[in-house]
Amino acid sequence: MACLFTLTSHIANSSEDNNHGRSNALYRNDGQGAMTDVSANSNLIYNIDTIVVSARNTFVLDYDGDGRIDLLMQDDDCWRWSIGESHLMRNMGNMVFKDVTLDAGLPKNLNGLGGFVGDINMDTWPDIFFAHTNVMYINNRDGTFRKLDYEFFDPQYSANARDGNLVWTCGAEIGDLNGDGLLDMVLGDHFGNTLDHKAHVYINKGIDENGDPRFEEVSEEIGIDTVSQKEPFVAIEDLDNDGDMDIIVSTRESIHY
């Protein structure tokens, strides 16, 4: 049975932001062309007093292999209204979810601007990547994740926005760009105008001795040009049906690929 999940883009603690009362919502498809609101008992509702769950983005995955679709609800830590805590919500059945973030080995302050879930290391289990903070968590295949330490990102792209850093990655996608069967990465940006804007492309170089993926940036080598505006959304699709995956990047005024 298909479902529809909607979420708040920003949730504020301050009345001056006029965001009180906005909340996430879960709708169940009744199979007859209508949706039923089943949010009340789902444990996905944002509560202004207890801050149960808030979110900028949501990702669907079966993180523990039990056959039920779970939700990873991403929050950012960029603005005064940000909570800065993402939540992994395990599907308990009957449209009820449980927060298992800490039990799954994810930190309380996990946050980001865009990202993806997917099988980064090709072991058939979904892994996690969050842009802005540029953190990658590999699925241990036992209901938990481990953080992958890596050196292929420039550290300036990961510094906290609340500390004055305006050099953000924002938006991320995976796909096989070179046809070798491995999933590569593309990241957009949300920079201030102090740097040239462009998407960053990382080719998957295979698995190391620990079963973790290795990536190498090839943005300039493959002809990724700079543009005059931030590029907060990226996607990988075969737009011209030639069998090769293309990169789509959106800016304020146009779309590039």
Side-chain angles (χ1 to χ4, degrees), residues 141-152:
R141 298 179 289 181
D142 61 0
T144 66
F145 293 84
R146 70 181 186 279
K147 185 178 180 180
L148 178 62
D149 295 319
Y150 51 76
E151 298 179 352
F152 52 85

Side-chain angles (χ1 to χ4, degrees), residues 5-8 22-26 39 44-46 53-55 73:
F5 179 61
T6 67
L7 63 158
T8 55
R22 297 172 59 185
S23 67
N24 306 313
L26 180 66
S39 309
L44 301 175
I45 295 295
Y46 171 77
V53 172
S54 69
M73 302 174 65

Side-chain angles (χ1 to χ4, degrees), residues 106-136:
L106 300 175
K108 182 179 180 181
N109 64 344
L110 177 64
N111 62 82
L113 283 170
F116 58 77
V117 296
D119 185 11
I120 303 172
N121 62 349
M122 308 300 288
D123 66 354
T124 74
W125 289 74
D127 309 300
I128 298 168
F129 179 83
F130 275 9
H132 186 195
T133 48
N134 296 327
V135 291
M136 184 179 293

Side-chain angles (χ1 to χ4, degrees), residues 88-236:
L88 178 60
M89 306 299 292
R90 185 185 184 197
N91 190 334
M92 307 302 291
N94 298 316
M95 310 295 277
V96 175
F97 293 80
K98 177 183 178 181
D99 191 336
V100 294
T101 308
L102 299 182
D103 292 339
L106 300 175
K108 182 179 180 181
N109 64 344
L110 177 64
N111 62 82
L113 283 170
F116 58 77
V117 296
D119 185 11
I120 303 172
N121 62 349
M122 308 300 288
D123 66 354
T124 74
W125 289 74
D127 309 300
I128 298 168
F129 179 83
F130 275 9
H132 186 195
T133 48
N134 296 327
V135 291
M136 184 179 293
Y137 285 87
I138 300 298
N139 197 316
N140 291 323
R141 298 179 289 181
D142 61 0
T144 66
F145 293 84
R146 70 181 186 279
K147 185 178 180 180
L148 178 62
D149 295 319
Y150 51 76
E151 298 179 352
F152 52 85
F153 282 123
D154 188 326
Q156 68 176 328
Y157 300 144
S158 305
N160 192 290
R162 291 180 183 267
D163 296 331
N165 176 49
L166 297 179
V167 185
W168 309 345
T169 54
C170 178
E173 182 63 292
I174 52 172
D176 185 2
L177 294 172
N178 57 0
D180 65 356
L182 302 175
L183 295 177
D184 311 303
M185 298 196 309
V186 179
L187 273 66
D189 76 51
H190 205 300
F191 302 166
N193 291 325
T194 57
L195 294 176
D196 290 328
H197 298 274
K198 71 174 183 179
H200 294 264
V201 178
Y202 298 86
I203 293 297
N204 192 327
K205 305 298 289 186
I207 305 304
D208 66 16
E209 64 276 7
N210 298 315
D212 295 326
R214 299 176 293 119
F215 290 90
E216 178 184 352
E217 183 168 8
V218 296
S219 308
E220 295 184 4
E221 291 93 322
I222 66 174
I224 298 296
D225 296 324
T226 60
V227 297
S228 60
Q229 301 176 16
K230 63 184 181 182
E231 301 174 323
F233 174 81
V234 297
I236 299 174

